């Protein structure tokens, strides 16, 4: 729900009576008549025009297959900053608007929360492109901070603050029956005041009605839970919790926890570092459509990792933090914590206290370009090149 | 359904009072009096029924689930609170609404499929070129301020099912009453839970055994006044259960269930006036529906549409309206043309 007054509502428009009607469409066919007759515009068009005039596009800060991102500001206030994401309509509308774009607009319109980017307004521009006016988030994303090992130092209190904001965003989505389905560090954008925002709703959907299938081809691989890798068509908010857990692990390790280079490899890594799924630790797993019996026919089967492993690997967040991480990375989605349980976990009230958002480590320059990168990417994709560089496979062999 | 109704754009921007809705529609018509006079439309309620049935027809054909169909109905209704019907190609708008609603409700259909199926019903109105539908989709989204999530009463019904331990046939009847409410303005007037409560109430009172809803309208009216009586008695005496005032329909209702329901309603915070008004709207819908005769009532509309579109040549979408309007201007009165554009 965007509360911005910029969105014309049937209850607030007062210009109506004065406006003479004409075409709603502003396609090429109407251009001729408009110029000759100079007649009034249709109301909606006028309101749209007003909205459009409220914002100034300053410069293009990025372009991708899906959208072009501009930095902009309110005409009335040159110091204000907004990001304008212009969604490219498929050539000549032949295929209708892309589902990504529709989903993004659909959810951002309704979800209003400090940890979800605000959608101030939507307007259409002359080539009938959809423009989303979004909160400007200048400080890049969490992935940048994680990767900049030399430039950025952070500790447990910072991780706790970031995880807290992520957990609230996830909770809010689930509470509103929305599955995000693409949680990963580079979808966690950072606002000027340090607040983390869960962005990119291009893969989001509302909870399915019972017994209606959903696609399992969601969530960027490294953050994808085992049930989706096994092709589950019925799933729940637990998929987002797994992703949240892998982000948690990545914040601690400063490198992706499970960086598989194929779906099978991803499952192998899960087996190795979390545990091999079987009907004992996850009743019914063998019935999933794409289930592969790891740990049989001679391949090694790993028991579900115990507390010791987690303490060794992720011990910096303390024993209570490790408990939380373990509960997020439960193989069986039914045993995974829910978003609500995450928020009531005692880690939040254990020392150290989360860092205040304005004191969180920041990355200096490059935020602008980075936001553009993040916004223009298609949902579910990893950046080319960047992924390869960081895709070091974790080697835990030294810590048995 | 997603997100929270109370914080939704539906509640904030798309819930009207009756007066406001009438005003909004009058204003749209006032913007173009000449056009309105030139092409008289059938009574709005008849037109509503007609549009609804057309959407259902298309929906059945492409096997859309009810949820998406309901969303499409609301899109069309919302759209026409912003745009004058006579300035559009309603068949294209309806097909587009179905297409968009399918995407929204996560059961997407290919644009070419929707176009080709729509063409089997309305070959004269739906262009083969899919980009027209794509363009109309864009217009639809813009007109609705890209507020696309619609909360439907069906989920509330599932919740109420256990609250009142409704039998399967009662649920089925309530479900079909909810389907019927899309033939009226109710989705623009009341929140979904009110509609669901009304549907449950009517279903329990009317009893699924009764074959004709229309015939039962009178007993429903009696029941509505029973609710009214119950509420007022609660208000005055604090007694949760009504006296025997609802006895008028004792022959056809499981009395205890009705009493239970009335008691629950009286103690709930649900807006009783809204429920009563919904009940009455639905009853009068069934009344109007009985009189409705597509051939008779809509013939002039269909003829008019044919005339409009023949006149325009290949005037398909809303986007071509300008050109079409010019022709209307020429064929119609010059005065109209001048007053419009000066």
């Amino acid at each position: 729900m965007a509360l911005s007054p910029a969105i014309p509502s049937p209850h607030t428009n007062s210009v109506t009576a004065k406006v003479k009607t004409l075409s709603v469409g502003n396609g090429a066919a109407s251009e001729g008549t408009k110029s000759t007759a100079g007649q009034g515009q249709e109301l909606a068009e006028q309101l749209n025009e007003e909205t459009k005039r409220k914002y100034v596009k300053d410069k293009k800060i990025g372009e991708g297959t899906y959208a072009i991102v501009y930095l902009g500001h309110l005409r009335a206030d040159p110091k204000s900053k907004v990001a304008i994401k212009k969604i490219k309509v498929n050539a000549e509308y032949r295929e209708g608007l892309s589902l990504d774009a529709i989903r993004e607009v659909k959810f951002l319109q309704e979800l209003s929360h400090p940890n979800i980017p605000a959608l101030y307004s939507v307007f259409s521009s002359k080539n009938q492109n959809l423009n989303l006016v979004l909160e400007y988030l200048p400080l890049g994303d969490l992935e940048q901070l994680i990767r900049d090992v030399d430039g950025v130092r952070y500790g447990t209190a910072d991780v706790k603050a970031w995880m807290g904001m992520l957990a609230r965003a996830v909770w809010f989505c689930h509470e509103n029956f929305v599955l995000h389905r693409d949680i990963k560090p580079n979808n966690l954008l950072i606002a000027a005041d340090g607040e983390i925002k869960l962005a990119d709703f291009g893969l989001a959907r509302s909870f399915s009605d019972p017994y209606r299938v959903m696609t399992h081809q969601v969530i960027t691989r490294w953050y994808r839970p085992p049930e989706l890798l096994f092709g589950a068509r019925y799933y729940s908010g637990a998929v987002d919790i797994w992703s949240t857990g892998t982000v948690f692990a990545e914040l601690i390790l400063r490198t992706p926890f499970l960086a598989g280079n194929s779906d099978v490899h991803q499952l192998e890594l899960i087996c190795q570092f979390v545990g091999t799924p079987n009907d004992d630790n996850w009743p019914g797993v063998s019935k999933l459509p794409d289930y592969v019996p790891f740990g049989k026919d001679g391949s090694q089967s790993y028991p579900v990792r115990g507390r010791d492993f987690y303490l060794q690997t992720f011990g910096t967040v303390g024993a209570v933090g490790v408990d939380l991480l373990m509960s997020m990375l439960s193989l069986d989605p039914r045993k995974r914590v829910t978003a609500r349980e995450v928020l009531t976990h005692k880690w939040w009230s254990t020392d150290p206290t989360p860092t205040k958002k304005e004191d969180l480590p920041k990355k200096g320059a490059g935020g602008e370009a980075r936001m553009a990168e993040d916004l223009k990417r298609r949902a579910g994709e990893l950046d080319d090149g960047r992924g390869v560089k960081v895709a070091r496979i974790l080697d835990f062999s030294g810590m048995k | 359904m997603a997100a929270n109704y109370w914080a939704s754009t539906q509640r904030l921007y798309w819930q009207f009072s009756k007066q406001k809705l009438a005003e909004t529609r009058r204003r749209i018509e006032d913007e173009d009096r000449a056009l309105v006079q030139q092409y008289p439309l059938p009574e709005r309620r008849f037109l509503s029924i007609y549009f609804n049935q057309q959407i259902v027809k298309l929906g059945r054909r492409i096997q859309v689930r009810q949820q998406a169909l309901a969303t499409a109905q609301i899109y069309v209704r919302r759209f026409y609170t912003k745009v004058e019907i006579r300035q559009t190609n309603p068949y294209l708008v309806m097909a587009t609404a179905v297409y968009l609603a399918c995407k929204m409700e996560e059961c997407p259909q290919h644009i070419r499929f929707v176009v080709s199926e729509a063409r089997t019903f309305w070959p004269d109105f739906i262009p083969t070129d899919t980009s027209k539908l794509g363009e109309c989709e864009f217009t639809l989204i813009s007109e609705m301020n890209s507020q696309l999530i619609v909360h439907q009463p069906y989920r509330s019904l599932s919740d109420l099912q256990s609250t009142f331990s409704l039998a399967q046939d009662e649920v089925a009847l309530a479900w079909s009453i909810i389907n019927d409410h899309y033939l009226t303005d109710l989705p623009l007037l009341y929140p979904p839970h009110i509609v669901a409560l009304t549907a449950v109430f009517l279903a329990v009172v009317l009893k699924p055994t009764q074959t004709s809803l229309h015939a039962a309208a009178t007993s429903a009216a009696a029941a509505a006044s029973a609710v009214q009586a119950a509420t007022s008695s609660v208000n005055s005496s604090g007694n949760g259960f009504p006296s025997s005032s609802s006895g008028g329909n004792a022959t056809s209702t499981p009395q205890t269930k009705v009493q239970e329901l009335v008691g629950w309603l009286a103690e709930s915070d649900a807006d009783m006036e809204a429920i009563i008004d919904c009940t009455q709207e639905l009853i009068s819908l069934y009344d109007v529906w009985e009189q409705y005769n597509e051939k008779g009532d809509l013939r002039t509309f269909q003829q008019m549409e044919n005339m409009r579109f023949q006149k325009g040549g290949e005037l398909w979408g809303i986007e071509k309206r300008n050109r079409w309007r010019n022709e209307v201007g020429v064929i119609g009165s010059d005065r109209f043309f001048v007053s419009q554009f000066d």
Side-chain angles (χ1 to χ4, degrees), chain A residues 211-365:
Chain A
Y211 309 113
R212 292 200 59 89
V213 299
M214 296 183 276
T215 173
H216 59 282
Q217 296 291 6
V218 288
I219 306 186
T220 308
R221 189 187 301 124
W222 299 348
Y223 308 93
R224 200 182 296 157
E227 65 268 30
L228 291 184
L229 291 161
F230 284 144
R233 313 305 299 272
Y234 307 98
Y235 50 84
S236 66
V239 298
D240 285 338
I241 298 296
W242 176 278
S243 308
T244 308
T246 50
V247 171
F248 189 11
E250 184 167 339
L251 275 168
I252 303 166
L253 299 172
R254 299 201 70 159
T255 187
F257 176 36
L258 304 164
N261 48 34
S262 70
D263 287 2
V264 172
H265 185 222
Q266 187 68 30
L267 277 165
E268 285 167 3
L269 290 178
I270 291 175
C271 290
Q272 199 175 341
F273 294 111
V274 183
T276 305
N278 57 42
D279 280 318
D280 296 327
N281 57 35
W282 181 355
V285 62
S286 60
K287 307 250 168 27
L288 287 172
D290 304 338
Y291 172 71
V292 186
F294 288 91
K296 294 193 181 139
D297 307 326
S299 69
Q300 196 182 346
S301 173
Y302 303 88
V304 174
R305 293 283 178 170
R307 216 151 170 266
D308 290 349
F309 164 78
Y310 282 91
L311 278 172
Q312 262 174 355
T313 317
F314 305 101
T316 48
V317 291
V320 186
V322 159
D323 278 346
L324 177 60
L325 177 62
M326 283 178 75
S327 61
M328 288 174 164
L329 294 180
S330 157
L331 289 172
D332 183 348
R334 281 163 299 197
K335 292 182 203 134
R336 229 169 274 157
V337 279
T338 63
R340 185 180 279 271
E341 287 159 1
V342 169
L343 287 188
T344 55
H345 198 274
K346 50 187 186 307
W347 187 51
W348 312 112
S349 50
T350 314
D351 264 353
T353 352
T355 313
K356 287 201 190 94
K357 63 181 179 190
E358 44 298 340
D359 300 334
L360 282 165
K362 289 188 179 81
K363 193 182 163 69

Side-chain angles (χ1 to χ4, degrees), chain A residues 47 187 192 342:
Chain A
L47 288 173
N187 276 340
V342 169

Side-chain angles (χ1 to χ4, degrees), chain A residues 3-197:
Chain A
L3 285 167
S4 158
I7 294 183
S9 92
H11 300 299
T12 53
N13 70 56
S14 54
V15 260
T16 323
K18 284 171 249 158
V19 184
K20 280 179 188 158
T21 119
L22 217 68
S23 132
V24 172
N26 40 14
S30 53
E31 293 299 326
T33 42
K34 229 172 249 165
S35 53
T36 52
Q39 68 276 53
Q41 285 163 303
E42 211 277 337
L43 168 66
E45 200 178 321
Q46 163 144 348
L47 288 173
N48 177 52
E49 214 39 62
E50 274 172 20
T51 312
K52 190 166 30 170
R53 266 200 304 272
K54 276 183 73 160
Y55 299 99
V56 181
K57 278 181 191 160
D58 290 325
K59 59 175 174 181
K60 191 157 137 181
I61 50 179
E63 174 162 5
T65 44
Y66 165 49
I68 304 176
V69 188
Y70 298 90
L71 177 65
H73 66 267
L74 270 171
R75 192 175 295 277
D77 176 11
K79 282 203 285 293
S80 63
K81 279 187 173 171
V82 293
I84 300 177
K85 180 171 179 176
K86 180 163 134 185
I87 292 171
K88 292 180 181 172
V89 176
N90 287 338
E92 308 281 305
Y93 307 95
R94 250 169 249 294
E95 304 296 323
L97 271 175
S98 84
L99 204 50
D100 290 15
I102 298 243
R103 281 172 165 157
E104 178 127 1
V105 173
K106 165 182 169 185
F107 289 113
L108 289 182
Q109 273 285 18
E110 303 285 329
L111 297 174
S112 168
H113 185 271
N115 299 112
I116 291 174
L119 176 67
Y120 296 128
S121 190
V122 179
F123 63 86
S124 45
S125 54
K126 56 175 176 301
N127 308 324
Q128 302 211 335
N129 285 311
L130 216 49
N131 291 264
L132 313 185
V133 184
L134 291 157
E135 185 175 4
Y136 179 57
L137 304 167
L139 295 182
D141 61 56
L142 216 47
E143 188 188 40
Q144 276 177 302
L145 297 191
I146 295 172
R147 298 285 175 273
D148 189 2
V149 182
D150 302 324
V152 180
R153 295 178 161 272
Y154 60 78
T156 302
D158 305 317
V159 171
K160 192 179 281 187
W162 286 323
M163 282 307 293
M165 294 186 270
L166 170 57
R168 288 193 285 275
V170 175
W171 167 81
F172 185 75
C173 287
H174 292 183
E175 199 73 356
N176 284 291
F177 310 103
V178 175
L179 299 175
H180 185 280
R181 306 198 301 183
D182 201 12
I183 295 172
K184 55 180 172 182
N186 60 7
N187 276 340
L188 295 167
L189 309 189
I190 306 170
D193 61 355
E195 193 85 44
I196 292 281
K197 313 267 177 174

Side-chain angles (χ1 to χ4, degrees), chain B residues 27-46:
Chain B
R27 206 169 52 210
I28 303 177
E29 290 197 342
D30 283 348
E31 280 164 14
D32 199 343
R33 271 280 139 218
L35 182 69
V36 169
Q37 276 156 20
Q38 186 168 6
Y39 294 111
L41 288 182
E43 213 236 304
R44 190 173 287 277
R45 287 199 288 189
F46 286 154

Side-chain angles (χ1 to χ4, degrees), chain B residues 201-222:
Chain B
F201 175 69
L202 281 173
V204 170
V205 171
L206 298 181
K207 255 190 100 172
T209 46
Q210 263 169 298
T211 44
S212 161
L213 285 174
H214 311 149
T218 39
S219 73

Side-chain angles (χ1 to χ4, degrees), chain B residues 41 51 60 110 178 192 195 207 254 262 276 280 291 299-300:
Chain B
L41 288 182
F51 279 6
R60 295 261 181 282
H110 199 280
I178 293 177
V195 173
K207 255 190 100 172
V262 169
I276 291 162
Q280 270 150 7
Q291 300 160 27
R299 205 188 52 222
T300 35

